[in-house]
């Protein structure tokens, strides 16, 4: 293992957090061209004004003259709502804590299926460190941690780190592109890939001033651009990976807010951006959006950019002190869940992928009473309330009223019982099964006729589920019409057909009695070591485990619907943490499988059962506590 391997891990991890922006930008551009603006605009939903933003009442920088008009025009572009994967964190000040000290919580949502757990749980103690928490695998860096003096937690800040540029290629010379009125030569970069037992494979990549060309070499096929003399290129943020990791080391040593900021100054030079929340032993709490955020003169990152002029080129990066941040807010708590993190007056474009449901529930609970305990924090992390159901189920009732159909009557009865239970996605819930299958069919019946026919691929990046939030309250929206029929379908037609199909599917799989339609029979998780994907490696696989929660619940479970197999959840809170500053030296956590993948160790997946049940464990920084249960002692002497 070499230092550069850790740098590669950091870069790849950063790309994994932002790759979706590449897909949404490309497919939105393509959908706009093929479907037209009247329908394509619904693929980018708005972020409701009544939902929380991280920084709401404290503009960080002054808005420039004339920017109000630009922001109002682009508002629907700037805010992407919807369900989906992500992470949660929140912190309460001593005034809202039953312990009289700050309490900070975090549950990053990452791939669930790998074994061992995605995050590496450990304590690091030495001359300048005494810290405990969740480390990035392969990196000398803690994502969320506690060092007695301070603690911090993170969620993806959803910063748009990727742009697509459309380049005009010289028809007479494919190795040239147009920029500011001149034909420039593509930079040709050759990569030599060694092949065991054979000759090295030579890969040639063309690069413009904006980045590499997305062509046959990159994706194994050319992306349609609408013009034979055009190609797409990818623009990524510049990074200084050495400083990025140094920032994490400085944060680990920090003793207060000022020293924590000093670490962020370097940490923002990496390939990923975080919503960092902070707490210290003196009761201070804070938030800082930390990332390398490009300045876009046109204030958008949703559509492909013109590469042949400099008008849409990036103009540097937003300084750290102008990124959204707040310290000791009046409300005495801070929460983020990949939701919008800037006020309307913020002058810079940051991104489009902002989620709504988890933050709505977290904020609702944190406003529900004056003081919270550690047990309350656990309950929030394990909360499985499906917030959108509060609006969508009444719409379903309205559209199904007066229908004389036994299957519809059965669905209405189950959903009314579920409504009375508070729309909880618990494993014994039958309403969740009916609701999720209805929405799954609504999504297909609404979008497949246009998107599959046009082959835009927009559904691959979750754009259709986002879009439903934007017009589900419009019964005559044009998306509900099936373009393959002469009749003009409405939402009522779609919901009726989806409900009948959902009940048919449940009856076929579990029988006619709705009592057997529990959500835990439809939602599962599996775990694999790297060997577990190979045939015959059954000992490297465990599962299936019934899962509660769903896409958009605080206890998030994002998965893939596999028809008769139900939902297989592949992303969620593999590790949860809670730090109570009134209880020094302790780090409360759950983890999906534990740190070991050794099938002969007796410790592989030793935490899975408790993770499924929501039972927490405690890591201690106190030697008299952790040494008594130690497996042994390993000393490495140079």
């Amino acid at each position: 293992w070499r230092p550069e391997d850790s740098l590669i891990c950091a870069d790849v991890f950063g790309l994994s957090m932002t790759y979706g922006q590449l897909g949404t930008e490309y497919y939105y551009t393509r959908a706009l061209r093929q479907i037209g603006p009247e329908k394509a605009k619904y693929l980018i939903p708005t972020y409701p004004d009544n939902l929380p933003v991280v920084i709401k009442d404290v503009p960080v920088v002054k808005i420039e003259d004339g920017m109000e008009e630009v922001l109002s025009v682009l508002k629907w572009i700037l805010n992407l709502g919807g369900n989906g994967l992500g992470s949660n964190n929140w912190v309460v000040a001593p005034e809202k804590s039953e312990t009289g000290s700050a309490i900070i919580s975090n549950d990053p949502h990452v791939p669930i299926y790998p074994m061992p757990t995605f995050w590496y749980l450990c304590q690091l103690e030495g001359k300048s460190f005494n810290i405990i928490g969740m480390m990035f695998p392969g990196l000398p860096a803690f994502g969320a941690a506690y060092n007695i003096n301070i603690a911090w937690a993170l969620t993806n800040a959803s910063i748009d780190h990727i742009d697509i540029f459309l380049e005009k290629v010289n028809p007479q010379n494919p190795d040239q592109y147009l920029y500011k009125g001149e034909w420039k030569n593509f930079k040709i970069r050759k990569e030599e890939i060694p092949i065991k037992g054979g000759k090295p494979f030579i890969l040639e990549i063309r690069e413009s001033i904006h980045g590499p060309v997305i062509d046959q070499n990159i994706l194994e096929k050319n992306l349609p651009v609408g013009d034979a003399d055009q190609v797409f290129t990818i623009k990524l943020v510049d990074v200084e990976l050495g400083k990025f990791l140094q920032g994490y080391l400085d944060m680990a040593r920090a003793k207060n807010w000022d020293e924590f900021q000093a670490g962020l100054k370097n940490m923002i030079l990496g390939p990923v951006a975080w919503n960092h929340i902070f707490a210290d032993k003196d009761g201070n709490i804070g938030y800082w959006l930390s990332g390398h955020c490009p300045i876009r003169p046109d204030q958008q990152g949703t559509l492909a950019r013109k590469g042949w002029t400099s008008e849409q080129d990036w103009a540097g990066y937003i300084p750290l002190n102008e990124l959204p941040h707040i310290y000791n807010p009046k409300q005495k708590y801070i929460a983020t869940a990949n939701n919008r993190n800037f006020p309307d007056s913020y002058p810079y474009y940051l991104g489009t992928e902002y989620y709504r449901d988890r933050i709505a529930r977290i904020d609702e609970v944190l406003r529900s009473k004056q003081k919270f305990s550690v047990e309350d924090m656990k309950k929030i992390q394990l909360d499985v309330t499906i917030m959108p159901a509060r609006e969508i189920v009444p719409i379903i009732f309205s559209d199904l009223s007066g229908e004389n159909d036994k299957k519809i009557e059965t669905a209405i009865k189950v959903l009314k019982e579920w409504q009375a239970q508070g729309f909880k996605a618990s494993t014994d819930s039958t309403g969740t099964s009916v609701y999720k299958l209805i929405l799954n069919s609504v999504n297909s019946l609404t979008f497949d006729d246009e998107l599959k026919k046009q082959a835009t691929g927009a559904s691959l990046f979750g754009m259709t589920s986002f879009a439903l939030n934007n017009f589900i309250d419009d019964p005559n929206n044009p998306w509900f019409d099936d373009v393959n029929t002469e009749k003009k379908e409405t939402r009522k037609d779609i919901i009726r057909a989806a409900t009948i199909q959902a009940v048919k599917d449940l009856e076929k799989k579990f029988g006619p009695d709705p009592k057997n339609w529990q959500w835990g029979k439809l939602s599962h998780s599996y775990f694999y070591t790297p060997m577990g994907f190979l045939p015959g490696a059954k000992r490297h696989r465990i599962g299936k485990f019934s899962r509660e929660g769903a896409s958009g619940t605080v206890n998030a479970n994002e998965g893939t619907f596999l028809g008769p197999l139900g939902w297989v959840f592949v992303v969620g809170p593999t590790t949860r943490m809670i730090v109570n500053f009134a209880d020094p030296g302790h780090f409360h956590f759950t983890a999906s499988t534990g740190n070991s993948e050794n099938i002969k160790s007796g410790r592989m997946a030793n935490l899975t059962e408790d993770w499924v049940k929501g039972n927490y464990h405690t890591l201690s920084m106190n030697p008299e506590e952790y040494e008594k249960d130690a497996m042994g002692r390993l000393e490495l002497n140079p």
Side-chain angles (χ1 to χ4, degrees), residues 444-483:
S444 297
L445 293 170
T446 301
F447 296 106
D448 283 359
D449 53 323
E450 287 98 341
L451 297 186
K452 281 193 174 180
K453 181 179 179 181
Q454 297 292 343
T456 62
S459 60
L460 297 176
F461 287 84
M463 296 168 70
T464 55
S465 59
F466 295 153
L468 274 176
N469 288 322
N470 197 37
F471 61 81
I472 190 68
D473 59 349
D474 177 6
N476 298 304
N477 191 277
W479 274 106
F480 291 125
D481 180 39
D482 186 344
V483 297

Side-chain angles (χ1 to χ4, degrees), residues 332-366:
K332 304 302 180 185
Y333 71 88
I334 304 169
T336 85
N338 318 110
N339 55 307
R340 204 180 81 176
N341 37 32
F342 55 88
D344 287 342
S345 57
Y346 194 67
Y348 299 114
Y349 166 83
L350 293 179
T352 59
E353 298 180 3
Y354 298 107
Y355 300 104
R356 56 174 71 174
D357 300 330
R358 287 175 284 109
I359 191 61
R361 179 58 177 165
I362 293 168
D363 192 69
E364 178 181 70
V365 176
L366 290 177

Side-chain angles (χ1 to χ4, degrees), residues 87-106:
S87 303
N88 307 314
N89 64 21
W90 60 88
V91 60
V92 297
E95 293 87 344
K96 283 189 73 69
S97 166
E98 288 186 1
T99 70
S101 299
I103 305 176
I104 189 169
S105 306
N106 197 188

Side-chain angles (χ1 to χ4, degrees), residues 166-228:
L166 191 61
E167 312 284 6
K168 290 184 178 181
V169 178
N170 188 344
Q172 308 302 320
N173 184 354
D175 290 331
Q176 290 185 328
Y177 65 98
L178 186 65
Y179 184 66
K180 297 171 67 172
E182 296 182 10
W183 293 112
K184 291 186 172 293
N185 292 326
F186 281 110
K187 177 183 176 183
I188 308 297
R189 179 160 55 90
K190 292 185 178 182
E191 299 281 355
E192 183 176 301
I193 302 173
I195 304 296
K196 185 176 182 179
K199 295 181 179 180
F201 177 75
I202 306 300
L203 179 67
E204 289 192 356
I205 301 173
R206 291 179 296 170
E207 292 185 359
S208 77
I209 192 173
H210 301 115
V213 174
I214 314 174
D215 59 8
Q216 191 77 21
N217 287 333
I218 303 295
L219 299 179
E220 297 185 356
K221 65 179 181 178
N222 293 318
L223 294 178
V225 294
D227 191 322

